Amino acid sequence: ATRACGQLIGLALRDLAADFQKVKVVGTVGNHGRMPDDRKVPTKDPTRNFDWIAYTYAQAYLSNVSNVEFVLPDAYGAVYPVGGHTVFQGHGNFIKQQLGIVGYGMRRFVSNLAANLNAAGVPLKYAIFGHFHSANSAEFAGVTAFIGPSLIGTQEYGFLSGGSVNRPAQQVYIFDRDLGHVSTESLYGDGPHFDGTYEVQV
């Protein structure tokens, strides 16, 4: 399954590379699987993780595609610029719910992160997460936080954590250098227009 995920990432990136001069891929891991000798998901070594294996498989799959650059930080999150705006990216499994509500923990994490980065002279503008399986967005301390939907669609965890129902999808966030975030596009994984473009060899 991990290899198939890596191949799917590689196929999608290969298509993007055909249409863009440069494709930069920042891969951050979550809580998706652990090595057989780990009793629980590691918190100090993100390379011991199935997400990391999927990313490195995609990287090897595209080794002959010169305009794709992979950045796989040895960390559970990454801070990088997009069109002149500072973005934090992390899976989100490290965010603690408060009173069973995701928003409280999200507000605390994003607000604290923004304060720390602002003190370092790096004003945070956007934060992007996954993990919760339900699409959402909100603003905390001047930072717009996005939670992307899941390719497996709504199931028990996503419904209980966010209370919403989503079709299987991923999201693309469009940034303008002057205006910042200007639109969000959804890429659906099923439905009448899905033609099975990517054939993954399992």
Side-chain angles (χ1 to χ4, degrees), residues 117-158:
L117 288 174
N118 287 338
V122 183
L124 182 64
K125 186 64 178 171
Y126 301 100
I128 299 174
F129 304 96
H131 184 65
F132 299 102
H133 293 206
S134 298
N136 213 328
S137 64
E139 186 172 313
F140 307 104
V143 178
T144 302
F146 300 102
I147 299 175
S150 169
L151 270 177
I152 66 172
T154 300
Q155 35 63 273
E156 184 180 13
Y157 171 76

Side-chain angles (χ1 to χ4, degrees), residues 69-185:
E69 175 191 354
F70 278 81
V71 178
L72 304 177
D74 189 5
Y76 291 92
V79 176
Y80 54 90
V82 176
H85 307 281
T86 302
V87 175
F88 170 82
Q89 173 186 307
H91 185 63
N93 56 296
F94 44 78
I95 294 176
K96 305 300 183 186
Q97 297 187 34
Q98 294 177 320
L99 304 176
I101 300 174
V102 174
Y104 289 154
M106 182 72 70
R107 179 176 63 186
R108 181 178 181 181
F109 177 84
V110 170
S111 299
N112 289 344
L113 178 64
N116 290 327
L117 288 174
N118 287 338
V122 183
L124 182 64
K125 186 64 178 171
Y126 301 100
I128 299 174
F129 304 96
H131 184 65
F132 299 102
H133 293 206
S134 298
N136 213 328
S137 64
E139 186 172 313
F140 307 104
V143 178
T144 302
F146 300 102
I147 299 175
S150 169
L151 270 177
I152 66 172
T154 300
Q155 35 63 273
E156 184 180 13
Y157 171 76
F159 181 75
L160 293 178
S161 69
S164 61
V165 176
N166 295 141
R167 287 172 55 189
Q170 294 285 271
Q171 287 183 332
V172 177
Y173 308 107
I174 311 300
F175 294 93
D176 179 84
R177 197 167 284 276
D178 296 321
L179 302 175
H181 175 252
V182 291
S183 70
T184 298
E185 307 296 331

